[in-house]
Amino acid sequence: MTGNKKFEKLLEPFHIGSVKTRNRIIKTGAGMFMWHEDDLHMNESIMAFYEGMARGGVGLLIVESPTIDYPLGARWRQRYRIDDDKYIKGLSELAQVIRKHDCPTFMQMNHDGPWQRIIFEPTALSPGPPIAASPVSMSSENDFHNEVPRELTIAEIEEIIDKFASAAVRAEKAGFQGVDINAASSHLLHNFLSPFWNRRQDAYGGSPENRTRFVVEIIQQIKKRLGQDFPVSVCINGMEIGRVMGIEDDKCMTAEYSRGIARILQEAGADNIHVRSHWLGRHVGAYLPELFSYPESPIPLKDFPKEYDWSRHGAGANLRLAAGIKKAVSIPVMVVGRLDPELGEKVLREGMADFIGMTRRLIADPELPNKVAAGRLGDIAPCTACDNCLGSRRCRINANVGTEHNTVEKADKSKKVVVVGGGPAGLEAARVAALRGHDVTLYEKSNKLGGLLPMAALVKGTGIEDLPAIVRYLERQITGLGVKIRLGEKVSPSVIEEIHPEVVILATGGTTTVPAIPGIYRRNVISNAVLHRRLKFLLRFLRPGTLRWLTNFYLPIGKRVVVIGGGIQGCELGEFLTKRGRKVTIVDKSDTPGEGMVDVILAYLFTWFRKKGVAVLSGVKEYVEITDKGLTIITREGEKQTIEADTIVPALPLLPDTELLKNLEGKVPEVYAVGDCKEPLLIVDAIAAGSRTARAI
């Protein structure tokens, strides 16, 4: 790939063994779980997903790991299988659609091994405990190792080696040009590499050479069956860190130890080393490094190991580890961890690694490599690290994910389209409608685009989820596509009658919820409506980040706060207030607080709530009344309780705003409602609804 000289290193081809990559960007094998274990063929969603990546210009595409050992090797049913020849044809369909775009592709191989039963997969795939190098577990509410596993026998290890090699043969028959062995995270192969997990004293434990033997024999068997020219990449942890769990570094895989492991793997025939890292007791925060310190770091920053680079708050956390391994081996080294094109180019120029691994940024915009080559960095859809992709097989900014689409086609006939509302649903509807060739005008009654996103950014912050980036991106796109933007203009039926559009898309947002509680209008209650008005006014003059910073010094809210509503709105508000020194109690009628939050983020937040003393009272039967003293409720157990508070803040989901829709029905040929004005949900839902609706016109 040629083009932008600013990214000369990132865009140049390179090699992994006999395979030449188109550039130095590699789509890693992180799982999307769009399959089911019973599938024998590729579904439309997965074909569209991977074809979009291949067309987008990525240098090498690694397909997520099918199950190589069923059922012991998998903890999810949402995976394809490759433990039998009958699965080859289905995988060949995927390899063909990738390679038709001249994109090389590898298949990742993994064995979940010691992972416990996953809470959202209630029926175990196999009876009995998980399997591991040794019967070692740990007690951590944010990890996957709370069950004591069964120690594998040598005969079982040999069987699994054969299963890995047989899976590689099937991958080659299906059309994959290489494999990536996942010996990282805390899966089975890492479990053998790590001195913390592997306490064996036989041929597969007791020394670095013995602990590495399992992976070495897999590499050797693959090379024996497929030849020395068949590339084998191996993903390892450049470091395993035990400090969150109070475990000393020398009990785990140190950076020096991992460098030695990399040398052994190279000698065994590995063609590439793929470097990440792992924190014991904090599994997801290890592979999504920006989440490691959410909501706050579980250990002081001064206690981070020097080899783990936290200077960019997660981005590039593994760079020093990769650089150390690159000095230890002569084969290529790939590094992962919240990398973007600018940082990737810097890493390559400084010789810290040979390849830049990405997943979430490519999910957000599969065309990222092509746009980098064309110098169109401003047109790259931003990944805001919301983690909907790996949690729910969707993407906040890329509504194509999980659908049969990876492009936007022109409409048969151009229509005059009016979009009312400049929030995420309206902006995306305008973008897709314009891409389809329609004549689009967008009206927004305020003087800024973005809807409630700036307010959400005030509460969430922009350190992890950069919501303003969504607004900047969508505004740039619709402006470039010729969408006419009318700010500060409120749309009424009479305005629509004057315009005579053929299509109206309403994205007017929702209305605030006022819970029917006696005393709800007392002075110690801050209503949603008043809060929204105040914040919108301030955000006319201040950026969300600036206003958020100022709230550390002044916040017109008392020291004791009751938040009514335990969904994503109430939980994130509870976090915001707790960080500003308030004593927070969250009450909710739902039995399952945290609705709308990604599972891992919810788990981290509730762990932090417990440490900070935030009370979460779910299953509340009744909100009795609000008095000067606080909020009186009937608890889950049927007891009457008064929660003393200086301030009470309702944080409930919005209600649909259907007024304009009702007034326009029958007066315009096509009228659609999207986003909160139809069904108040999440940002990802709003953007998906805007895209889906615009595709239909």
Side-chain angles (χ1 to χ4, degrees):
M1 179 179 286
T2 59
N4 195 340
K5 292 296 183 182
K6 180 181 175 183
F7 296 96
E8 188 172 13
K9 293 293 291 183
L10 190 68
L11 298 172
E12 73 178 3
F14 205 59
H15 285 85
I16 296 179
S18 61
V19 170
K20 182 180 180 180
T21 67
R22 297 190 292 187
N23 53 59
R24 307 272 190 129
I25 302 172
I26 294 182
K27 156 57 176 82
T28 66
M32 292 294 290
F33 303 111
M34 290 186 185
W35 289 286
H36 187 270
E37 61 185 5
D38 295 333
D39 289 344
L40 290 174
H41 296 279
M42 294 296 115
N43 61 61
E44 289 184 346
S45 296
I46 205 73
M47 292 285 273
F49 176 79
Y50 278 110
E51 182 175 20
M53 291 271 187
R55 185 193 300 115
V58 69
L60 169 71
L61 200 163
I62 301 177
V63 170
E64 61 204 81
S65 178
T67 300
I68 66 147
D69 180 14
Y70 186 86
L72 282 175
R75 290 287 158 178
W76 282 278
R77 298 185 186 279
Q78 290 76 34
R79 283 163 70 173
Y80 199 76
R81 288 171 59 179
I82 195 172
D83 56 307
D84 189 280
D85 286 354
K86 67 183 179 181
Y87 300 106
I88 294 174
K89 185 168 190 316
L91 278 172
S92 71
E93 296 165 1
L94 184 55
Q96 287 171 20
V97 79
I98 294 169
R99 293 184 65 179
K100 82 175 186 180
H101 294 283
D102 297 320
C103 179
T105 181
F106 286 9
M107 186 191 79
Q108 189 173 85
M109 297 192 297
N110 166 56
H111 197 298
D112 286 341
W115 281 21
Q116 68 196 44
R117 187 184 308 179
I118 307 300
I119 58 172
F120 39 85
E121 189 69 73
T123 305
L125 273 67
S126 61
I131 57 176
S134 305
V136 178
S137 64
M138 66 165 56
S139 178
S140 170
E141 55 191 321
N142 292 313
D143 211 348
F144 295 158
H145 298 280
N146 297 327
E147 293 182 42
V148 178
R150 175 177 65 81
E151 180 173 308
L152 283 170
T153 66
I154 289 181
E156 288 174 317
I157 293 170
E158 291 171 347
E159 287 179 10
I160 293 173
I161 291 168
D162 177 72
K163 289 175 180 179
F164 267 100
S166 297
V169 171
R170 295 185 185 109
E172 192 271 341
K173 288 180 178 178
F176 291 93
Q177 296 151 281
V179 292
D180 181 54
I181 299 170
N182 189 342
S185 182
S186 57
H187 302 299
L188 181 64
L189 298 184
H190 166 75
N191 188 268
F192 271 76
L193 294 178
S194 166
F196 173 80
W197 297 107
N198 185 346
R199 314 287 175 87
R200 303 172 75 101
Q201 294 300 317
D202 58 13
Y204 291 93
S207 69
E209 291 75 19
N210 284 354
R211 294 189 195 105
T212 312
R213 190 181 306 277
F214 197 171
V215 184
V216 164
E217 291 181 348
I218 291 171
I219 296 168
Q220 290 172 339
Q221 274 297 310
I222 293 171
K223 293 288 187 175
K224 180 179 177 181
R225 299 186 194 189
L226 292 171
Q228 294 300 312
D229 288 339
F230 186 78
V232 176
S233 173
V234 184
C235 179
I236 66 171
N237 294 319
M239 188 176 193
E240 181 185 46
I241 309 162
R243 300 182 187 198
V244 170
M245 301 299 295
I247 298 166
E248 297 174 4
D249 287 349
D250 59 5
K251 299 285 196 303
C252 306
M253 283 179 67
T254 64
E256 181 181 2
Y257 181 98
S258 294
R259 292 194 290 271
I261 295 297
R263 282 192 290 267
I264 294 172
L265 298 177
Q266 175 179 267
E267 291 168 5
D271 298 287
N272 179 65
I273 301 294
H274 170 174
V275 182
R276 49 174 293 182
S277 58
H278 187 70
W279 288 78
L280 293 178
R282 196 96 169 160
H283 170 79
V284 177
Y287 76 86
L288 305 179
E290 76 285 344
L291 273 186
F292 177 78
S293 290
Y294 173 81
E296 290 180 336
S297 177
I299 61 173
L301 294 179
K302 66 180 179 61
D303 292 338
F304 279 40
K306 65 181 185 303
E307 298 92 345
Y308 191 79
D309 185 354
W310 195 250
S311 61
R312 304 171 195 85
H313 305 285
N318 302 317
L319 291 180
R320 294 172 189 160
L321 300 171
I325 287 176
K326 181 164 171 55
K327 290 178 181 178
V329 299
S330 58
I331 56 178
V333 171
M334 175 171 73
V335 64
V336 297
R338 198 66 187 144
L339 302 170
D340 59 25
E342 291 88 348
L343 183 54
E345 179 71 16
K346 182 176 185 293
V347 167
L348 295 172
R349 286 181 185 268
E350 293 181 3
M352 301 177 77
D354 301 290
F355 289 105
I356 303 302
M358 296 183 188
T359 290
R360 289 178 292 165
R361 292 193 190 279
L362 292 171
I363 293 171
D365 195 338
E367 290 285 329
L368 180 149
N370 286 341
K371 290 177 180 177
V372 170
R376 296 172 50 212
L377 269 68
D379 291 323
I380 295 173
C383 169
T384 55
C386 65
D387 300 323
N388 277 286
C389 51
L390 305 179
S392 59
R393 299 173 291 283
R394 300 193 295 170
C395 176
R396 176 183 276 171
I397 194 69
N398 181 2
N400 289 333
V401 174
T403 76
E404 68 275 20
H405 304 292
N406 56 38
T407 59
V408 176
E409 308 299 330
K410 291 288 186 182
D412 294 334
K413 175 191 173 186
S414 178
K415 297 180 179 180
K416 188 175 183 181
V417 177
V418 166
V419 177
V420 184
L427 289 169
E428 175 69 358
R431 185 187 75 89
V432 174
L435 282 172
R436 285 178 55 75
H438 298 302
D439 177 13
V440 183
T441 304
L442 182 145
Y443 287 83
E444 166 56 45
K445 64 182 179 181
S446 72
N447 66 341
K448 286 185 179 180
L449 296 173
L452 293 178
L453 288 185
M455 264 190 281
L458 166 64
V459 175
K460 286 174 174 283
T462 56
I464 295 178
E465 298 183 47
D466 187 1
L467 298 184
I470 295 177
V471 182
R472 293 192 299 270
Y473 164 74
L474 290 173
E475 183 173 7
R476 178 184 172 95
Q477 297 312 298
I478 65 174
T479 301
L481 290 166
V483 173
K484 296 174 281 295
I485 302 171
R486 303 284 187 262
L487 297 178
E489 296 187 30
K490 187 174 181 179
V491 172
S492 64
S494 61
V495 172
I496 295 295
E497 190 174 345
E498 291 176 13
I499 299 170
H500 292 299
E502 296 165 89
V503 180
V504 174
I505 301 176
L506 298 175
T508 51
T511 59
T512 55
T513 305
V514 180
I517 306 171
I520 191 66
Y521 295 106
R522 297 181 71 93
R523 294 183 64 180
N524 57 344
V525 179
I526 298 181
S527 74
N528 276 344
V530 171
L531 187 61
H532 281 197
R533 282 198 303 271
R534 288 178 182 174
L535 292 176
K536 281 184 176 180
F537 175 77
L538 292 170
L539 287 168
R540 291 178 63 182
F541 310 102
L542 299 170
R543 293 181 179 180
T546 303
L547 185 54
R548 178 181 169 87
W549 176 75
L550 289 171
T551 61
N552 288 301
F553 306 100
Y554 174 73
L555 197 61
I557 290 178
K559 290 295 183 183
R560 300 171 301 170
V561 183
V562 169
V563 175
I564 300 175
I568 186 172
Q569 301 89 349
C571 287
E572 290 182 343
L573 179 60
E575 175 199 343
F576 173 84
L577 293 172
T578 301
K579 286 181 175 178
R580 282 147 185 81
R582 271 51 176 186
K583 179 175 174 55
V584 176
T585 300
I586 298 173
V587 296
D588 193 10
K589 289 187 175 182
S590 170
D591 290 326
T592 54
E595 184 178 357
M597 299 190 75
V598 174
D599 290 337
V600 64
I601 296 175
L602 175 64
Y604 282 7
L605 180 62
F606 274 52
T607 298
W608 183 78
F609 276 167
R610 286 188 284 275
K611 290 179 179 178
K612 293 293 184 179
V614 175
V616 181
L617 306 181
S618 58
V620 172
K621 293 186 180 297
E622 183 184 351
Y623 302 131
V624 178
E625 66 172 336
I626 295 170
T627 65
D628 287 340
K629 195 173 182 180
L631 172 67
T632 301
I633 63 171
I634 303 296
T635 67
R636 179 197 297 268
E637 295 75 23
E639 298 177 356
K640 194 172 185 179
Q641 176 183 347
T642 296
I643 307 165
E644 295 187 0
D646 305 306
T647 307
I648 294 163
V649 185
L652 298 166
L654 299 172
L655 296 173
D657 181 359
T658 60
E659 181 181 358
L660 188 54
L661 175 64
K662 292 175 181 177
N663 289 332
L664 290 179
E665 286 178 341
K667 298 178 182 179
V668 180
E670 297 179 61
V671 182
Y672 305 95
V674 297
D676 289 347
C677 73
K678 182 179 182 181
E679 185 179 12
L681 291 169
L682 306 173
I683 300 168
V684 63
D685 300 298
I687 289 179
S691 174
R692 185 171 56 248
T693 300
R695 279 183 179 278
I697 61 176

